[in-house]
Amino acid sequence: MRVKLGFIGLGGRGAAYGMTDGSIGLLGNVLNNAKNAVVTAICDKFPERIDAAAKKIVDNGDPMPFTTTDYTELMKADIDAIIISTSWDMHVKVALEGMRAGIPVAMEVGGTHFIDDCWKLVDCYEETGTPIFFMENCCFNKDETLVTSLVRNGVLGEIAYCQGYYAHDLREEIAGGIDTHHYRLKEYMENNCENYPTHQLGPISKILNITSGNRFVKLVSMATKAIGMKHFVQNNPKYKDRLGDVEWKQGDVVTTMIECENGETIFLKLDTTLPRLYERCVTVNGTKGFYNQTTQAVILDKDNIDHEHAQYKDFFFTQDKYKDYLPDDWRTITEEQIKSGHGGMDYIMLKHFIECIKDKKPMPIDVYDAVTWMSVTALSAKSIQNGSVPVECPDFTRGKYKTRKTVDVLDFPAVKD
Ligand SMILES: NC(=O)c1ccc[n+]([C@@H]2O[C@H](COP(=O)([O-])OP(=O)(O)OC[C@H]3O[C@@H](n4cnc5c(N)ncnc54)[C@H](O)[C@@H]3O)[C@@H](O)[C@H]2O)c1
């Protein structure tokens, strides 16, 4: 049996619409790799995006899908699950509709401005029992699964601190929204918050057992002034006349500190409107060692480091020595699958989502994980608006986190030291 998928949102991420960097999007990934899935229904607000996606499906040898510009119509089509890759403002609305119709949903990442929306998702899940999967692909990435496995195997000892960035120069994507309708343009004009917390916070939360034995207690956020976009558009003839007078609200760098109930702290950085290289910089500090994604370094106390004289560059890429800790998915991945989106993590994530639907298995990133991570956007906005005051983090599990078992996204090997 092939799992029948309905796609809502056929832009860059959904269907690589308008992408010129070789991306294939979620649709291309399913068409290329998921032999056990077929796309039977597609939806976007823009008919030309529907036509482009339909052509890809038919060119792949699959039947013409049901098409619509109204996502509520897609819910009535012949589908087993929905993939939501719309703008952030539609995620919860569409997910609620799908869950109420009894159709499992996979929802793309992004934060939410509304704590109320988080509760609506939790309540809807608890009332309907319809599965919801949060598509945080970085939880499935090689580096993040390696460091999670090191933690699960006790290599880094007891963890005190984690750090991660979403550092990605998005100035062109944001300003370009004036032509492409990309939602980030409006978001950066109207809001000031940690707007994209989950690429780093997802894997870190799994490491720290958030929603299963641990929880976020409070956070504090600070935002810099907003100067990056103004400088960019005023110095770019493509945008100067149309966007030169905009008063951007989104601070260029937003830093957030989260305190966890079990005593750890988390440092997050959003850095998307100044020149820089892409970086997630997941960093984990424990009693026995340290991991840093940017330098790919694993530094262990037992290695008798000369702390006074050793240099970071001596440890670049030392994570390569820990291949035994990688989950099976990363040991067996093919070159083709690696090329199919974000270095292979999209392939692995979709494979597991489709298996969960097919075999009716619990989602490895569920509603409680999703809303706990997404809510950081609303909470950070509140902290910033009130002068960087501490803001309490709701317990969306209503106490269940105390007894919930951690569900890892992949099976980690137990490695003998
Ligand atoms: N996980 C990742 O690595 C990754 C990467 C990029 C984007 N994303 C996520 O994917 C999502 C989409 O991002 P994007 O860059 O593709 O944006 P986009 O603007 O290119 O695409 C969004 C699409 O959703 C459609 N849409 C919006 N509202 C709709 C509605 N009511 N009905 C039907 N269609 C609607 C838009 O017309 C558009 O085509 C976002 O949530 C983003 O955070 C994730």
Side-chain angles (χ1 to χ4, degrees):
M1 174 205 127
R2 290 169 91 193
V3 173
K4 289 171 266 178
L5 297 175
F7 269 66
I8 304 177
L10 304 167
R13 176 62 170 161
Y17 186 83
M19 302 297 275
T20 51
D21 62 357
S23 321
I24 59 172
L26 294 167
L27 177 67
N29 213 304
V30 169
L31 296 181
N32 284 2
N33 294 309
K35 304 288 171 252
N36 52 1
V38 58
V39 181
T40 53
I42 54 175
C43 169
D44 198 282
K45 284 191 303 190
F46 297 109
E48 62 276 20
R49 298 186 183 198
I50 296 177
D51 292 345
K55 182 170 182 324
K56 286 183 184 174
I57 294 166
V58 173
D59 287 351
N60 193 54
D62 291 322
M64 177 69 185
F66 170 80
T67 64
T68 176
T69 52
D70 174 356
Y71 69 87
T72 62
E73 285 299 310
L74 180 133
M75 314 274 170
K76 299 173 199 156
D78 184 19
I79 51 176
D80 301 315
I82 300 169
I83 300 222
I84 304 168
S85 48
T86 62
S87 40
W88 300 331
D89 58 343
M90 291 304 296
H91 287 183
V92 173
K93 225 171 160 182
V94 179
L96 289 172
E97 193 93 30
M99 289 161 82
R100 286 185 194 126
I103 309 165
V105 297
M107 186 172 75
E108 253 304 344
V109 297
T112 176
H113 299 300
F114 308 105
I115 295 297
D116 197 37
D117 275 357
C118 297
W119 285 114
K120 281 185 193 160
L121 278 180
V122 169
D123 290 344
C124 184
Y125 171 73
E126 291 179 353
E127 278 159 33
T128 63
T130 311
I132 172 168
F133 173 66
F134 191 60
M135 285 197 276
E136 186 36 85
N137 48 350
C138 294
C139 288
F140 295 82
N141 191 43
K142 191 174 180 182
D143 297 343
E144 283 84 346
T145 53
L146 175 69
V147 65
T148 312
S149 179
L150 291 176
V151 173
R152 295 288 183 258
N153 276 284
V155 176
L156 302 182
E158 187 175 346
I159 307 306
Y161 171 84
C162 294
Q163 169 186 310
Y165 306 164
Y166 184 65
H168 191 180
D169 179 353
L170 291 172
R171 291 172 297 169
E172 180 61 45
E173 178 172 287
I174 296 162
I178 196 153
D179 299 314
T180 63
H181 314 284
H182 201 278
Y183 58 89
R184 275 188 189 269
L185 177 58
K186 187 166 175 280
E187 293 281 346
Y188 279 66
M189 286 182 186
E190 295 181 0
N191 301 302
N192 188 13
C193 54
E194 168 42 281
N195 63 24
Y196 209 50
T198 73
H199 278 338
Q200 70 284 48
L201 189 56
I204 288 171
S205 297
K206 285 289 182 187
I207 286 171
L208 296 179
N209 303 313
I210 301 300
T211 77
S212 53
N214 199 1
R215 75 178 198 90
F216 300 156
V217 177
K218 60 175 182 277
L219 65 71
V220 172
S221 289
M222 285 187 198
T224 66
K225 56 189 171 182
I227 52 175
M229 286 309 299
K230 194 165 199 85
H231 179 86
F232 180 74
V233 295
Q234 288 187 343
N235 288 283
N236 191 324
K238 234 185 339 170
Y239 304 120
K240 190 170 179 224
D241 290 346
R242 295 182 292 164
L243 294 172
D245 294 333
V246 170
E247 290 304 327
W248 301 87
K249 206 160 163 218
Q250 177 64 49
D252 292 308
V253 178
V254 175
T255 44
T256 300
M257 293 282 306
I258 306 178
E259 184 186 297
C260 304
E261 187 174 80
N262 291 349
E264 307 89 349
T265 62
I266 302 170
F267 175 91
L268 302 179
K269 181 164 78 157
L270 175 84
D271 178 353
T272 52
T273 47
L274 296 169
R276 61 157 306 127
L277 296 179
Y278 183 92
E279 191 183 13
R280 289 201 298 281
C281 198
V282 170
T283 302
V284 181
N285 277 77
T287 49
K288 293 188 191 168
F290 170 87
Y291 173 80
N292 175 262
Q293 183 179 25
T294 301
T295 55
Q296 309 262 290
V298 177
I299 303 177
L300 300 184
D301 217 17
K302 70 173 185 187
D303 295 335
N304 293 320
I305 311 295
D306 175 356
H307 294 282
E308 297 302 319
H309 302 102
Q311 299 190 10
Y312 269 103
K313 62 178 163 48
D314 302 335
F315 294 90
F316 284 3
F317 303 110
T318 39
Q319 78 174 42
D320 293 346
K321 288 197 295 187
Y322 295 88
K323 290 196 171 78
D324 288 353
Y325 290 83
L326 282 171
D328 263 357
D329 291 84
W330 279 106
R331 293 157 189 264
T332 54
I333 195 162
T334 66
E335 279 306 312
E336 204 50 43
Q337 290 157 354
I338 285 174
K339 280 195 228 133
S340 65
H342 293 115
M345 61 175 158
D346 289 352
Y347 161 75
I348 294 177
M349 175 186 74
L350 284 167
K351 178 183 125 182
H352 283 272
F353 171 67
I354 291 163
E355 276 172 17
C356 284
I357 296 292
K358 209 163 178 270
D359 303 339
K360 298 199 177 356
K361 288 193 297 195
M363 295 295 163
I365 306 179
D366 68 5
V367 71
Y368 303 107
D369 298 318
V371 297
T372 302
W373 308 346
M374 289 162 70
S375 66
V376 166
T377 294
L379 301 172
S380 70
K382 191 170 169 195
S383 177
I384 292 166
Q385 274 160 25
N386 291 298
S388 300
V389 294
V391 175
E392 303 229 337
C393 301
D395 167 19
F396 293 104
T397 72
R398 296 186 177 103
K400 287 198 282 281
Y401 76 96
K402 291 179 189 159
T403 49
R404 263 164 59 93
K405 294 250 177 313
T406 300
V407 178
D408 278 320
V409 297
L410 300 175
D411 288 333
F412 296 116
V415 182
K416 288 216 173 69
D417 202 0

